[in-house]
Amino acid sequence: MEGKPIIEVKVEFDQPGFKMKTEQGDVVMIPFYGKVYGELFSGIVEPWGVDTQILNQAGVRHMSARYLLTGKDKDGQECHIYVENNAFFTDDLPHPTFKSVPTFYTDSKLLSPYLHRNQFVGEGSVEKDGLWIRFYEIEH
């Protein structure tokens, strides 16, 4: 994407996920944690984040990652950001770069008027050092 990301998340994995095959489709749940960088907010992804992917009978995969960021806003105030990040794919796994739709909830008085507008897009990319999720404001 063009422009500077508002938040960058370096995703880390150290546990095996859960996989289940059913008649209706497949379910994969991948626990993760990580580090968060940006001018607006910096901190960590709490270790109970989970990426749930459901592959239906038609071959469409829905990814829904839900996680909590803990850190400091750009004024140095401690705060949290809850992220729900959704994407859909029509093949077995996401491409090396994929787009997503994030929703943010925060207890930061400074960031809430901005993040609660729901005018953002996510981009995931597999790079040499692992998976990165970057969030950008949608420009009008």
Side-chain angles (χ1 to χ4, degrees), residues 7 9 32 36 41 44-46 48-52 64-71 79-86 101-108 111-112 115-116 118 120 135:
I7 296 174
V9 178
F32 66 93
V36 185
F41 177 91
I44 64 165
V45 178
E46 294 289 355
W48 52 79
V50 66
D51 175 8
T52 302
S64 182
R66 297 168 189 225
Y67 45 105
L68 183 71
L69 311 179
T70 298
C79 64
H80 302 91
I81 301 173
Y82 169 80
V83 181
E84 180 177 335
N85 197 22
N86 289 284
V101 178
T103 301
F104 302 108
Y105 294 87
T106 183
D107 57 5
S108 167
L111 299 180
S112 63
L115 291 178
H116 293 169
N118 291 330
F120 303 95
F135 298 111

mmCIF file of all heavy atoms in Angstrom, residues 7 9 32 36 41 44-46 48-52 64-71 79-86 101-108 111-112 115-116 118 120 135:
data_model
loop_
_atom_site.group_PDB
_atom_site.id
_atom_site.type_symbol
_atom_site.label_atom_id
_atom_site.label_comp_id
_atom_site.label_asym_id
_atom_site.label_seq_id
_atom_site.Cartn_x
_atom_site.Cartn_y
_atom_site.Cartn_z
ATOM 1 N N ILE A 7 -0.237 1.857 12.299
ATOM 2 C CA ILE A 7 0.215 0.865 13.277
ATOM 3 C C ILE A 7 0.818 -0.310 12.507
ATOM 4 O O ILE A 7 0.264 -0.744 11.497
ATOM 5 C CB ILE A 7 -0.945 0.357 14.153
ATOM 6 C CG1 ILE A 7 -1.518 1.493 15.014
ATOM 7 C CG2 ILE A 7 -0.514 -0.801 15.047
ATOM 8 C CD1 ILE A 7 -2.763 1.115 15.800
ATOM 9 N N VAL A 9 2.285 -4.317 13.141
ATOM 10 C CA VAL A 9 2.313 -5.437 14.086
ATOM 11 C C VAL A 9 3.234 -6.519 13.536
ATOM 12 O O VAL A 9 3.017 -7.022 12.431
ATOM 13 C CB VAL A 9 0.897 -6.020 14.312
ATOM 14 C CG1 VAL A 9 0.951 -7.211 15.258
ATOM 15 C CG2 VAL A 9 -0.055 -4.946 14.823
ATOM 16 N N PHE A 32 -1.156 -16.453 18.715
ATOM 17 C CA PHE A 32 0.005 -15.619 18.400
ATOM 18 C C PHE A 32 0.160 -14.491 19.411
ATOM 19 O O PHE A 32 -0.715 -14.235 20.225
ATOM 20 C CB PHE A 32 -0.086 -15.067 16.973
ATOM 21 C CG PHE A 32 -1.218 -14.110 16.747
ATOM 22 C CD1 PHE A 32 -1.024 -12.744 16.894
ATOM 23 C CD2 PHE A 32 -2.468 -14.564 16.389
ATOM 24 C CE1 PHE A 32 -2.056 -11.852 16.693
ATOM 25 C CE2 PHE A 32 -3.517 -13.679 16.183
ATOM 26 C CZ PHE A 32 -3.312 -12.318 16.337
ATOM 27 N N VAL A 36 4.326 -4.196 18.607
ATOM 28 C CA VAL A 36 3.577 -3.185 17.872
ATOM 29 C C VAL A 36 4.411 -1.909 17.779
ATOM 30 O O VAL A 36 4.983 -1.472 18.782
ATOM 31 C CB VAL A 36 2.235 -2.878 18.570
ATOM 32 C CG1 VAL A 36 1.405 -1.912 17.738
ATOM 33 C CG2 VAL A 36 1.461 -4.162 18.831
ATOM 34 N N PHE A 41 0.905 4.608 18.488
ATOM 35 C CA PHE A 41 0.865 3.609 19.557
ATOM 36 C C PHE A 41 2.054 2.683 19.404
ATOM 37 O O PHE A 41 2.419 2.301 18.286
ATOM 38 C CB PHE A 41 -0.441 2.803 19.446
ATOM 39 C CG PHE A 41 -0.561 1.696 20.447
ATOM 40 C CD1 PHE A 41 -1.172 1.925 21.674
ATOM 41 C CD2 PHE A 41 -0.069 0.428 20.182
ATOM 42 C CE1 PHE A 41 -1.284 0.907 22.611
ATOM 43 C CE2 PHE A 41 -0.170 -0.585 21.110
ATOM 44 C CZ PHE A 41 -0.781 -0.350 22.331
ATOM 45 N N ILE A 44 2.847 -4.156 22.791
ATOM 46 C CA ILE A 44 2.887 -5.592 22.500
ATOM 47 C C ILE A 44 1.509 -6.100 22.113
ATOM 48 O O ILE A 44 0.488 -5.476 22.421
ATOM 49 C CB ILE A 44 3.395 -6.408 23.710
ATOM 50 C CG1 ILE A 44 2.416 -6.282 24.906
ATOM 51 C CG2 ILE A 44 4.810 -5.992 24.098
ATOM 52 C CD1 ILE A 44 2.634 -7.304 26.007
ATOM 53 N N VAL A 45 1.509 -7.250 21.448
ATOM 54 C CA VAL A 45 0.286 -8.033 21.263
ATOM 55 C C VAL A 45 0.275 -9.021 22.424
ATOM 56 O O VAL A 45 1.220 -9.797 22.593
ATOM 57 C CB VAL A 45 0.293 -8.812 19.930
ATOM 58 C CG1 VAL A 45 -0.963 -9.651 19.798
ATOM 59 C CG2 VAL A 45 0.454 -7.864 18.745
ATOM 60 N N GLU A 46 -0.776 -8.972 23.233
ATOM 61 C CA GLU A 46 -0.877 -9.899 24.362
ATOM 62 C C GLU A 46 -0.869 -11.337 23.841
ATOM 63 O O GLU A 46 -1.354 -11.601 22.734
ATOM 64 C CB GLU A 46 -2.135 -9.621 25.184
ATOM 65 C CG GLU A 46 -2.121 -8.282 25.897
ATOM 66 C CD GLU A 46 -1.148 -8.225 27.063
ATOM 67 O OE1 GLU A 46 -0.520 -9.243 27.418
ATOM 68 O OE2 GLU A 46 -1.004 -7.116 27.629
ATOM 69 N N TRP A 48 -2.539 -13.940 24.045
ATOM 70 C CA TRP A 48 -3.756 -14.724 23.831
ATOM 71 C C TRP A 48 -4.475 -14.344 22.534
ATOM 72 O O TRP A 48 -5.644 -14.642 22.344
ATOM 73 C CB TRP A 48 -4.700 -14.627 25.033
ATOM 74 C CG TRP A 48 -5.002 -13.220 25.454
ATOM 75 C CD1 TRP A 48 -5.887 -12.353 24.862
ATOM 76 C CD2 TRP A 48 -4.417 -12.498 26.521
ATOM 77 N NE1 TRP A 48 -5.886 -11.155 25.495
ATOM 78 C CE2 TRP A 48 -4.984 -11.205 26.531
ATOM 79 C CE3 TRP A 48 -3.462 -12.798 27.478
ATOM 80 C CZ2 TRP A 48 -4.637 -10.233 27.451
ATOM 81 C CZ3 TRP A 48 -3.116 -11.816 28.395
ATOM 82 C CH2 TRP A 48 -3.704 -10.564 28.379
ATOM 83 N N GLY A 49 -3.751 -13.705 21.608
ATOM 84 C CA GLY A 49 -4.339 -13.429 20.295
ATOM 85 C C GLY A 49 -4.574 -14.728 19.548
ATOM 86 O O GLY A 49 -3.857 -15.715 19.728
ATOM 87 N N VAL A 50 -5.593 -14.738 18.696
ATOM 88 C CA VAL A 50 -5.866 -15.947 17.913
ATOM 89 C C VAL A 50 -6.363 -15.567 16.519
ATOM 90 O O VAL A 50 -7.155 -14.641 16.360
ATOM 91 C CB VAL A 50 -6.868 -16.903 18.617
ATOM 92 C CG1 VAL A 50 -8.243 -16.278 18.736
ATOM 93 C CG2 VAL A 50 -6.934 -18.246 17.919
ATOM 94 N N ASP A 51 -5.822 -16.255 15.535
ATOM 95 C CA ASP A 51 -6.247 -16.127 14.142
ATOM 96 C C ASP A 51 -7.080 -17.364 13.844
ATOM 97 O O ASP A 51 -6.560 -18.483 13.855
ATOM 98 C CB ASP A 51 -5.025 -16.049 13.234
ATOM 99 C CG ASP A 51 -5.375 -16.027 11.755
ATOM 100 O OD1 ASP A 51 -6.571 -15.928 11.412
ATOM 101 O OD2 ASP A 51 -4.447 -16.128 10.941
ATOM 102 N N THR A 52 -8.369 -17.170 13.612
ATOM 103 C CA THR A 52 -9.257 -18.280 13.285
ATOM 104 C C THR A 52 -9.550 -18.238 11.792
ATOM 105 O O THR A 52 -9.978 -17.203 11.278
ATOM 106 C CB THR A 52 -10.576 -18.192 14.081
ATOM 107 O OG1 THR A 52 -10.264 -18.186 15.477
ATOM 108 C CG2 THR A 52 -11.485 -19.358 13.758
ATOM 109 N N SER A 64 -10.366 -14.460 10.676
ATOM 110 C CA SER A 64 -10.750 -13.469 11.672
ATOM 111 C C SER A 64 -9.746 -13.537 12.813
ATOM 112 O O SER A 64 -9.755 -14.488 13.590
ATOM 113 C CB SER A 64 -12.170 -13.726 12.193
ATOM 114 O OG SER A 64 -12.535 -12.730 13.123
ATOM 115 N N ALA A 65 -8.872 -12.537 12.872
ATOM 116 C CA ALA A 65 -7.881 -12.471 13.943
ATOM 117 C C ALA A 65 -8.388 -11.487 14.988
ATOM 118 O O ALA A 65 -8.848 -10.397 14.655
ATOM 119 C CB ALA A 65 -6.538 -12.020 13.395
ATOM 120 N N ARG A 66 -8.305 -11.889 16.258
ATOM 121 C CA ARG A 66 -8.758 -11.043 17.358
ATOM 122 C C ARG A 66 -7.656 -11.006 18.397
ATOM 123 O O ARG A 66 -7.177 -12.056 18.827
ATOM 124 C CB ARG A 66 -10.054 -11.584 17.936
ATOM 125 C CG ARG A 66 -11.163 -11.548 16.908
ATOM 126 C CD ARG A 66 -12.374 -12.322 17.327
ATOM 127 N NE ARG A 66 -13.279 -12.408 16.211
ATOM 128 C CZ ARG A 66 -14.580 -12.196 16.304
ATOM 129 N NH1 ARG A 66 -15.121 -11.899 17.459
ATOM 130 N NH2 ARG A 66 -15.341 -12.291 15.234
ATOM 131 N N TYR A 67 -7.288 -9.777 18.784
ATOM 132 C CA TYR A 67 -6.173 -9.662 19.705
ATOM 133 C C TYR A 67 -6.193 -8.330 20.430
ATOM 134 O O TYR A 67 -6.866 -7.387 20.017
ATOM 135 C CB TYR A 67 -4.848 -9.887 18.994
ATOM 136 C CG TYR A 67 -4.656 -9.192 17.664
ATOM 137 C CD1 TYR A 67 -3.838 -8.076 17.557
ATOM 138 C CD2 TYR A 67 -5.261 -9.681 16.504
ATOM 139 C CE1 TYR A 67 -3.619 -7.465 16.339
ATOM 140 C CE2 TYR A 67 -5.051 -9.067 15.283
ATOM 141 C CZ TYR A 67 -4.238 -7.957 15.209
ATOM 142 O OH TYR A 67 -4.028 -7.345 13.994
ATOM 143 N N LEU A 68 -5.439 -8.277 21.528
ATOM 144 C CA LEU A 68 -5.377 -7.089 22.365
ATOM 145 C C LEU A 68 -3.959 -6.543 22.372
ATOM 146 O O LEU A 68 -3.000 -7.283 22.620
ATOM 147 C CB LEU A 68 -5.801 -7.423 23.798
ATOM 148 C CG LEU A 68 -5.850 -6.224 24.739
ATOM 149 C CD1 LEU A 68 -7.027 -5.315 24.377
ATOM 150 C CD2 LEU A 68 -5.972 -6.692 26.172
ATOM 151 N N LEU A 69 -3.853 -5.240 22.096
ATOM 152 C CA LEU A 69 -2.574 -4.552 22.150
ATOM 153 C C LEU A 69 -2.491 -3.809 23.480
ATOM 154 O O LEU A 69 -3.455 -3.165 23.896
ATOM 155 C CB LEU A 69 -2.464 -3.540 21.007
ATOM 156 C CG LEU A 69 -2.807 -4.030 19.600
ATOM 157 C CD1 LEU A 69 -2.661 -2.892 18.594
ATOM 158 C CD2 LEU A 69 -1.969 -5.227 19.215
ATOM 159 N N THR A 70 -1.359 -3.898 24.137
ATOM 160 C CA THR A 70 -1.109 -3.166 25.383
ATOM 161 C C THR A 70 0.142 -2.326 25.173
ATOM 162 O O THR A 70 1.156 -2.831 24.688
ATOM 163 C CB THR A 70 -0.881 -4.141 26.556
ATOM 164 O OG1 THR A 70 -2.064 -4.915 26.756
ATOM 165 C CG2 THR A 70 -0.576 -3.380 27.843
ATOM 166 N N GLY A 71 0.056 -1.036 25.524
ATOM 167 C CA GLY A 71 1.217 -0.171 25.348
ATOM 168 C C GLY A 71 0.907 1.259 25.702
ATOM 169 O O GLY A 71 0.105 1.531 26.591
ATOM 170 N N CYS A 79 -2.414 2.420 27.549
ATOM 171 C CA CYS A 79 -3.740 2.134 27.008
ATOM 172 C C CYS A 79 -3.745 0.768 26.334
ATOM 173 O O CYS A 79 -2.726 0.098 26.241
ATOM 174 C CB CYS A 79 -4.179 3.220 26.030
ATOM 175 S SG CYS A 79 -3.151 3.351 24.551
ATOM 176 N N HIS A 80 -4.914 0.387 25.841
ATOM 177 C CA HIS A 80 -5.125 -0.877 25.126
ATOM 178 C C HIS A 80 -5.864 -0.587 23.825
ATOM 179 O O HIS A 80 -6.639 0.366 23.750
ATOM 180 C CB HIS A 80 -5.984 -1.839 25.955
ATOM 181 C CG HIS A 80 -5.398 -2.139 27.284
ATOM 182 N ND1 HIS A 80 -5.685 -1.394 28.400
ATOM 183 C CD2 HIS A 80 -4.521 -3.094 27.672
ATOM 184 C CE1 HIS A 80 -5.024 -1.889 29.427
ATOM 185 N NE2 HIS A 80 -4.299 -2.911 29.018
ATOM 186 N N ILE A 81 -5.623 -1.433 22.857
ATOM 187 C CA ILE A 81 -6.393 -1.414 21.616
ATOM 188 C C ILE A 81 -6.805 -2.853 21.330
ATOM 189 O O ILE A 81 -5.948 -3.737 21.223
ATOM 190 C CB ILE A 81 -5.587 -0.865 20.423
ATOM 191 C CG1 ILE A 81 -5.109 0.564 20.694
ATOM 192 C CG2 ILE A 81 -6.430 -0.921 19.143
ATOM 193 C CD1 ILE A 81 -4.159 1.111 19.632
ATOM 194 N N TYR A 82 -8.114 -3.085 21.242
ATOM 195 C CA TYR A 82 -8.618 -4.390 20.815
ATOM 196 C C TYR A 82 -8.762 -4.331 19.299
ATOM 197 O O TYR A 82 -9.291 -3.352 18.751
ATOM 198 C CB TYR A 82 -9.970 -4.683 21.470
ATOM 199 C CG TYR A 82 -10.659 -5.886 20.873
ATOM 200 C CD1 TYR A 82 -10.288 -7.172 21.239
ATOM 201 C CD2 TYR A 82 -11.663 -5.737 19.921
ATOM 202 C CE1 TYR A 82 -10.902 -8.283 20.677
ATOM 203 C CE2 TYR A 82 -12.290 -6.845 19.357
ATOM 204 C CZ TYR A 82 -11.907 -8.105 19.738
ATOM 205 O OH TYR A 82 -12.509 -9.196 19.176
ATOM 206 N N VAL A 83 -8.295 -5.373 18.619
ATOM 207 C CA VAL A 83 -8.344 -5.433 17.163
ATOM 208 C C VAL A 83 -9.129 -6.658 16.734
ATOM 209 O O VAL A 83 -8.880 -7.766 17.212
ATOM 210 C CB VAL A 83 -6.922 -5.521 16.552
ATOM 211 C CG1 VAL A 83 -6.994 -5.552 15.028
ATOM 212 C CG2 VAL A 83 -6.045 -4.392 17.039
ATOM 213 N N GLU A 84 -10.081 -6.461 15.830
ATOM 214 C CA GLU A 84 -10.702 -7.567 15.100
ATOM 215 C C GLU A 84 -10.383 -7.311 13.636
ATOM 216 O O GLU A 84 -10.731 -6.262 13.088
ATOM 217 C CB GLU A 84 -12.210 -7.618 15.301
ATOM 218 C CG GLU A 84 -12.824 -8.778 14.542
ATOM 219 C CD GLU A 84 -14.315 -8.930 14.753
ATOM 220 O OE1 GLU A 84 -14.827 -8.481 15.791
ATOM 221 O OE2 GLU A 84 -14.956 -9.513 13.859
ATOM 222 N N ASN A 85 -9.682 -8.244 13.016
ATOM 223 C CA ASN A 85 -9.190 -8.070 11.655
ATOM 224 C C ASN A 85 -9.715 -9.212 10.794
ATOM 225 O O ASN A 85 -9.438 -10.378 11.079
ATOM 226 C CB ASN A 85 -7.656 -8.048 11.675
ATOM 227 C CG ASN A 85 -7.062 -7.480 10.429
ATOM 228 O OD1 ASN A 85 -7.704 -6.735 9.705
ATOM 229 N ND2 ASN A 85 -5.823 -7.823 10.157
ATOM 230 N N ASN A 86 -10.492 -8.887 9.757
ATOM 231 C CA ASN A 86 -11.146 -9.897 8.927
ATOM 232 C C ASN A 86 -10.681 -9.832 7.478
ATOM 233 O O ASN A 86 -10.436 -8.748 6.941
ATOM 234 C CB ASN A 86 -12.662 -9.696 8.962
ATOM 235 C CG ASN A 86 -13.245 -10.067 10.291
ATOM 236 O OD1 ASN A 86 -13.381 -11.240 10.594
ATOM 237 N ND2 ASN A 86 -13.561 -9.076 11.110
ATOM 238 N N VAL A 101 -9.841 -6.066 6.725
ATOM 239 C CA VAL A 101 -10.664 -4.978 7.250
ATOM 240 C C VAL A 101 -10.600 -5.034 8.773
ATOM 241 O O VAL A 101 -11.154 -5.951 9.379
ATOM 242 C CB VAL A 101 -12.125 -5.101 6.768
ATOM 243 C CG1 VAL A 101 -12.971 -3.983 7.360
ATOM 244 C CG2 VAL A 101 -12.193 -5.111 5.252
ATOM 245 N N PRO A 102 -9.916 -4.060 9.391
ATOM 246 C CA PRO A 102 -9.812 -4.049 10.854
ATOM 247 C C PRO A 102 -10.907 -3.204 11.498
ATOM 248 O O PRO A 102 -11.410 -2.249 10.902
ATOM 249 C CB PRO A 102 -8.451 -3.397 11.088
ATOM 250 C CG PRO A 102 -8.332 -2.411 9.966
ATOM 251 C CD PRO A 102 -9.012 -3.074 8.782
ATOM 252 N N THR A 103 -11.241 -3.563 12.721
ATOM 253 C CA THR A 103 -12.072 -2.744 13.596
ATOM 254 C C THR A 103 -11.298 -2.585 14.894
ATOM 255 O O THR A 103 -10.747 -3.561 15.410
ATOM 256 C CB THR A 103 -13.428 -3.421 13.875
ATOM 257 O OG1 THR A 103 -14.095 -3.635 12.629
ATOM 258 C CG2 THR A 103 -14.298 -2.560 14.774
ATOM 259 N N PHE A 104 -11.245 -1.356 15.397
ATOM 260 C CA PHE A 104 -10.489 -1.055 16.613
ATOM 261 C C PHE A 104 -11.416 -0.581 17.725
ATOM 262 O O PHE A 104 -12.367 0.156 17.472
ATOM 263 C CB PHE A 104 -9.467 0.065 16.360
ATOM 264 C CG PHE A 104 -8.470 -0.226 15.284
ATOM 265 C CD1 PHE A 104 -8.538 0.422 14.064
ATOM 266 C CD2 PHE A 104 -7.445 -1.134 15.490
ATOM 267 C CE1 PHE A 104 -7.603 0.179 13.069
ATOM 268 C CE2 PHE A 104 -6.503 -1.390 14.504
ATOM 269 C CZ PHE A 104 -6.589 -0.733 13.289
ATOM 270 N N TYR A 105 -11.094 -0.982 18.949
ATOM 271 C CA TYR A 105 -11.709 -0.450 20.163
ATOM 272 C C TYR A 105 -10.553 -0.082 21.079
ATOM 273 O O TYR A 105 -9.619 -0.859 21.234
ATOM 274 C CB TYR A 105 -12.577 -1.500 20.861
ATOM 275 C CG TYR A 105 -13.786 -1.922 20.069
ATOM 276 C CD1 TYR A 105 -13.695 -2.946 19.134
ATOM 277 C CD2 TYR A 105 -15.010 -1.298 20.262
ATOM 278 C CE1 TYR A 105 -14.792 -3.336 18.399
ATOM 279 C CE2 TYR A 105 -16.132 -1.692 19.522
ATOM 280 C CZ TYR A 105 -16.015 -2.708 18.595
ATOM 281 O OH TYR A 105 -17.100 -3.090 17.868
ATOM 282 N N THR A 106 -10.605 1.110 21.683
ATOM 283 C CA THR A 106 -9.515 1.507 22.567
ATOM 284 C C THR A 106 -10.035 2.248 23.790
ATOM 285 O O THR A 106 -11.065 2.914 23.724
ATOM 286 C CB THR A 106 -8.476 2.384 21.835
ATOM 287 O OG1 THR A 106 -7.400 2.674 22.728
ATOM 288 C CG2 THR A 106 -9.073 3.680 21.317
ATOM 289 N N ASP A 107 -9.285 2.129 24.884
ATOM 290 C CA ASP A 107 -9.592 2.892 26.087
ATOM 291 C C ASP A 107 -8.750 4.168 26.155
ATOM 292 O O ASP A 107 -8.792 4.888 27.146
ATOM 293 C CB ASP A 107 -9.413 2.047 27.350
ATOM 294 C CG ASP A 107 -8.016 1.456 27.502
ATOM 295 O OD1 ASP A 107 -7.114 1.766 26.686
ATOM 296 O OD2 ASP A 107 -7.822 0.663 28.443
ATOM 297 N N SER A 108 -8.022 4.490 25.093
ATOM 298 C CA SER A 108 -7.237 5.709 25.031
ATOM 299 C C SER A 108 -8.141 6.886 24.684
ATOM 300 O O SER A 108 -8.773 6.898 23.622
ATOM 301 C CB SER A 108 -6.139 5.591 23.975
ATOM 302 O OG SER A 108 -5.566 6.856 23.692
ATOM 303 N N LEU A 111 -6.735 8.395 21.416
ATOM 304 C CA LEU A 111 -6.875 7.646 20.158
ATOM 305 C C LEU A 111 -8.309 7.279 19.793
ATOM 306 O O LEU A 111 -8.592 7.014 18.625
ATOM 307 C CB LEU A 111 -6.025 6.374 20.224
ATOM 308 C CG LEU A 111 -4.526 6.575 20.399
ATOM 309 C CD1 LEU A 111 -3.817 5.237 20.456
ATOM 310 C CD2 LEU A 111 -3.956 7.457 19.294
ATOM 311 N N SER A 112 -9.214 7.241 20.766
ATOM 312 C CA SER A 112 -10.567 6.754 20.467
ATOM 313 C C SER A 112 -11.301 7.571 19.396
ATOM 314 O O SER A 112 -11.936 6.970 18.524
ATOM 315 C CB SER A 112 -11.407 6.610 21.737
ATOM 316 O OG SER A 112 -11.589 7.848 22.362
ATOM 317 N N LEU A 115 -9.511 6.171 16.101
ATOM 318 C CA LEU A 115 -9.604 4.739 15.794
ATOM 319 C C LEU A 115 -11.040 4.230 15.704
ATOM 320 O O LEU A 115 -11.299 3.250 15.010
ATOM 321 C CB LEU A 115 -8.835 3.919 16.831
ATOM 322 C CG LEU A 115 -7.316 4.062 16.805
ATOM 323 C CD1 LEU A 115 -6.696 3.236 17.926
ATOM 324 C CD2 LEU A 115 -6.752 3.665 15.454
ATOM 325 N N HIS A 116 -11.973 4.856 16.378
ATOM 326 C CA HIS A 116 -13.357 4.378 16.370
ATOM 327 C C HIS A 116 -14.118 4.787 15.109
ATOM 328 O O HIS A 116 -15.299 4.468 14.977
ATOM 329 C CB HIS A 116 -14.089 4.856 17.625
ATOM 330 C CG HIS A 116 -13.564 4.226 18.875
ATOM 331 N ND1 HIS A 116 -13.916 4.655 20.120
ATOM 332 C CD2 HIS A 116 -12.703 3.195 19.072
ATOM 333 C CE1 HIS A 116 -13.305 3.927 21.041
ATOM 334 N NE2 HIS A 116 -12.551 3.026 20.422
ATOM 335 N N ASN A 118 -13.594 3.616 12.079
ATOM 336 C CA ASN A 118 -13.684 2.474 11.158
ATOM 337 C C ASN A 118 -13.402 2.862 9.704
ATOM 338 O O ASN A 118 -14.119 2.477 8.793
ATOM 339 C CB ASN A 118 -15.047 1.784 11.263
ATOM 340 C CG ASN A 118 -15.215 1.085 12.583
ATOM 341 O OD1 ASN A 118 -14.251 0.628 13.176
ATOM 342 N ND2 ASN A 118 -16.438 1.004 13.046
ATOM 343 N N PHE A 120 -10.309 2.219 8.029
ATOM 344 C CA PHE A 120 -8.959 1.679 7.919
ATOM 345 C C PHE A 120 -8.958 0.412 7.075
ATOM 346 O O PHE A 120 -9.976 -0.260 6.928
ATOM 347 C CB PHE A 120 -8.396 1.383 9.315
ATOM 348 C CG PHE A 120 -8.398 2.588 10.206
ATOM 349 C CD1 PHE A 120 -9.441 2.816 11.085
ATOM 350 C CD2 PHE A 120 -7.373 3.516 10.134
ATOM 351 C CE1 PHE A 120 -9.468 3.936 11.892
ATOM 352 C CE2 PHE A 120 -7.387 4.646 10.934
ATOM 353 C CZ PHE A 120 -8.435 4.860 11.815
ATOM 354 N N PHE A 135 -1.625 -1.398 9.348
ATOM 355 C CA PHE A 135 -2.924 -0.759 9.214
ATOM 356 C C PHE A 135 -2.743 0.649 8.665
ATOM 357 O O PHE A 135 -1.859 1.393 9.110
ATOM 358 C CB PHE A 135 -3.643 -0.720 10.569
ATOM 359 C CG PHE A 135 -3.923 -2.079 11.113
ATOM 360 C CD1 PHE A 135 -3.254 -2.542 12.235
ATOM 361 C CD2 PHE A 135 -4.832 -2.924 10.495
ATOM 362 C CE1 PHE A 135 -3.511 -3.804 12.749
ATOM 363 C CE2 PHE A 135 -5.081 -4.196 10.985
ATOM 364 C CZ PHE A 135 -4.417 -4.622 12.110
#
